Amino acid sequence: NAGVTQTPKFRVLKTGQSMTLLCAQDMNHEYMYWYRQDPGMGLRLIHYSVGEGTTAKGEVPDGYNVSRLKKQNFLLGLESAAPSQTSVYFCASQRGYEQYFGPGTRLTVT
Amino acid sequence: AQSVAQPEDQVNVAEGNPLTVKCTYSVSGNPYLFWYVQYPNRGLQFLLKYITGDNLVKGSYGFEAEFNKSQTSFHLKKPSALVSDSALYFCAVETGKLIFGQGTTLQVKP
C-alpha cells in the first residue's frame, strides 16, 4: 500500500496563477482532509470531505476550492494564488480516529 | 471556543533522560485527545490517542501520555529519550474535526 500520496512535492507560482494539488489514498477511507502548515501555527484545516461527492469548509477555506469526484482522490485548487498562500500543504485520510498524512507539498507564491 | 495549547515551543533533553511535552485543552464535553509526530520533511504520524478508560495511554516508539481531567492536560512522556526522538510534536483534540496545537520541537542531545 502506498498510503497517502501527494502531487507535486514542490511548486513555485507567480501571484495570480492557478494550480491543483492532488491527493490520493489507497486505503478506501471515506474521510479526507486538506491542511496547511505555517510556522508557529500548527496545522489548519482548509477543506474536508466525508465521502465521494461531498466537500465542506474548514477553518481557512478562502482562496481554495476542492473536489472529491472519486473516493480515492481529493483535489485542492488555487484559482488565483496569493503570497499569503505560501505554505506546506498536507492531505490526510482517516480511519476510525486516526488520520494518515501524505508527505506534503511545499508551495511558494512570489 | 474549543482549543488546544502547547505552552513550550521547544523542549531540550539529554539522551537517556525522561522527557515531557506539555499539552492543555479546552473543550466542552468529553475530549478525544491525540499526539502526532512530524519528522523533518515528512507528514504527521499518529502516536497515540485517549478516547476513554485508563488515564495513562501507551503509544508508538515507547511514548505514553497521561490524561488529567482536573488539570485539562494531556502531557506526552517517555521514560528514556533517544536522539532519534528529535522531531516536532503536535497535540490535537477531536471536535468533529481535529484541532491541532502549534507544535513543540523536541531536541534530544547525545
Side-chain angles (χ1 to χ4, degrees), chain A residues 79-95:
Chain A
E79 290 186 347
S80 180
S84 61
Q85 294 177 304
T86 293
S87 188
V88 182
Y89 292 86
F90 288 100
C91 175
S93 66
Q94 182 167 329
R95 179 189 67 193

Side-chain angles (χ1 to χ4, degrees), chain A residues 13-19 78-83 109-110:
Chain A
L13 287 180
K14 295 186 186 301
T15 298
Q17 288 184 320
S18 63
M19 78 164 294
L78 287 73
E79 290 186 347
S80 180
V109 183
T110 61

Side-chain angles (χ1 to χ4, degrees), chain B residues 24-98:
Chain B
T24 59
Y25 64 89
S26 175
V27 299
S28 55
N30 294 322
Y32 293 175
L33 296 158
F34 304 81
W35 277 100
Y36 282 80
V37 60
Q38 184 180 29
Y39 298 102
N41 300 314
R42 303 285 295 275
L44 278 69
Q45 297 177 31
F46 173 82
L47 271 181
L48 51 80
K49 68 178 182 289
Y50 172 82
I51 304 299
T52 187
D54 194 348
N55 289 344
L56 184 65
V57 294
K58 295 188 182 299
S60 306
Y61 312 121
F63 283 93
E64 56 190 26
E66 186 169 13
F67 171 65
N68 188 315
K69 189 171 183 177
S70 63
Q71 296 186 3
T72 62
S73 67
F74 189 57
H75 299 334
L76 181 71
K77 300 181 180 184
K78 187 173 183 181
S80 179
L82 299 172
V83 172
S84 57
D85 292 330
S86 299
L88 183 57
Y89 290 81
F90 289 98
C91 182
V93 62
E94 165 76 40
T95 62
K97 296 173 285 296
L98 274 184

Side-chain angles (χ1 to χ4, degrees), chain A residues 18-29:
Chain A
S18 63
M19 78 164 294
T20 300
L21 283 66
L22 171 63
C23 175
Q25 53 98 2
D26 60 1
M27 297 174 282
N28 203 36
H29 293 166

